[in-house]
Amino acid sequence: MQKVSMVIPMYYEEKVVDECYKRVKGVLDNLKDYEYEIIFINDGSQDKTLELLENVAKEDKNVKVISFARNFGHQAAVTAGLKEVTGDVAVIIDADLQDPPELIPDMLKLWEEGNEVVYGKRKKRDGESIFKLLTAKMFYKTLNALSDVDIPKDTGDFRLVDKKVVDQMNSLPEHNKFLRGLWSWLGFKQYAFEYERKERFAGETKYPLKKMLKLASDGIISFSSKPIKLVGALGIISIAISIILFIYAILAYTFKFSGLSAGWTSIIVAISFFSGVQLLSLWIISEYIGRIYDESKGRPQYIVEKKINIKEDNKTD
């Protein structure tokens, strides 16, 4: 009998734990030809999320729990869950139930037809602000313009993935992972599964503007070297402008017409422009150097404090 593994990251989701488990288990219990496991990852929550997950795991041995020593982020939590997958296929889904678990049987049918990655493509997004919709659209346009890999628009982490693709993902050692981009980079036979995304069941979004910007930065820098090449283009433009200004200044002095020598305004504008170009260039370069520094330290992507119902060396935590 084949087995499906659910990977569900959680961060301050005490209001959602019971309903999430109930709905996911209800769907999995109705699958006739599948065994299952549910892997919850507590991403350093300081509320009752871990306590509630421990209670669920005591009652249901199909539930596995990984708890981080602190908050390491959504992408790290998903990565940790993928490391523990033992099924033939894995389904990644958020705990907030915006991505309905009831769609899993349809996704499994597509997998049975030979699709190795079935990713959720949102045709409608309920409960999300105009600002978030617009910024998401701009992000994917920018990312695809810069990246050599085509990353599907209107997608998140909700997807079904064959075990051999999971194994390939687990073999990638890099930090600051942008998983939805890496799935595309890996290749294999992929299928866009369209669905309507619902509002959160309870609680608040765990992706405020700051985290959205960090995710966007990881996506662009991980999948494109074009921003750093832009530094060279800015340098050429700056040199061209300085030459034009230099020629203009000579002509103004030679032919005695009002030019750059007329005042300090033009000088200040020129200095400000070139300073801005230099600072922008340094910022872009520093982002890439920062990623290199993170990789060179060799630190783990996350620290696990506790595991429940997960066998290691013939022992169960």
Side-chain angles (χ1 to χ4, degrees), residues 84-253:
E84 301 296 342
V85 163
T86 62
D88 302 283
V89 62
V91 177
I92 304 166
I93 190 170
D94 287 339
D96 56 21
L97 301 175
Q98 285 187 281
D99 306 317
E102 290 74 19
L103 299 176
I104 293 172
D106 293 331
M107 298 174 80
L108 283 169
K109 288 179 182 178
L110 290 168
W111 174 66
E112 291 168 356
E113 293 172 3
N115 297 290
E116 293 157 314
V117 178
V118 181
Y119 59 88
K121 183 178 177 66
R122 305 154 183 164
K123 60 182 179 181
K124 185 179 179 182
R125 302 171 68 162
D126 295 335
E128 294 188 356
S129 66
I130 295 176
F131 174 76
K132 187 170 184 178
L133 294 174
L134 287 175
T135 52
K137 187 175 181 179
M138 289 173 59
F139 164 66
Y140 280 105
K141 280 189 175 182
T142 303
L143 182 59
N144 279 309
L146 295 174
S147 176
D148 295 327
V149 179
D150 184 29
I151 299 174
K153 300 176 183 177
D154 297 319
T155 62
D157 292 300
F158 179 43
R159 65 192 61 221
L160 177 148
V161 189
D162 188 277
K163 182 61 163 62
K164 66 181 178 183
V165 187
V166 172
D167 290 340
Q168 291 299 319
M169 179 64 78
N170 288 338
S171 71
L172 302 179
E174 65 194 73
H175 290 66
N176 299 304
K177 286 182 178 177
F178 181 64
L179 291 173
R180 54 191 84 168
L182 286 173
W183 294 122
S184 298
W185 181 85
L186 286 172
F188 296 96
K189 187 176 181 181
Q190 307 209 7
Y191 185 92
F193 178 75
E194 293 190 340
Y195 72 105
E196 294 185 6
R197 199 169 200 235
K198 306 300 182 182
E199 294 186 41
R200 283 184 62 90
F201 171 76
E204 299 177 353
T205 178
K206 304 308 182 296
Y207 261 105
L209 181 59
K210 182 180 179 181
K211 288 191 175 182
M212 287 175 62
L213 291 173
K214 172 65 167 60
L215 184 67
S217 175
D218 289 341
I220 292 172
I221 292 174
S222 297
F223 284 89
S224 178
S225 61
K226 290 180 182 179
I228 204 166
K229 293 176 182 178
L230 179 63
V231 172
L234 289 172
I236 292 171
I237 292 171
S238 299
I239 292 170
I241 291 174
S242 64
I243 291 172
I244 292 170
L245 289 173
F246 179 70
I247 293 171
Y248 183 71
I250 292 175
L251 292 174
Y253 178 79

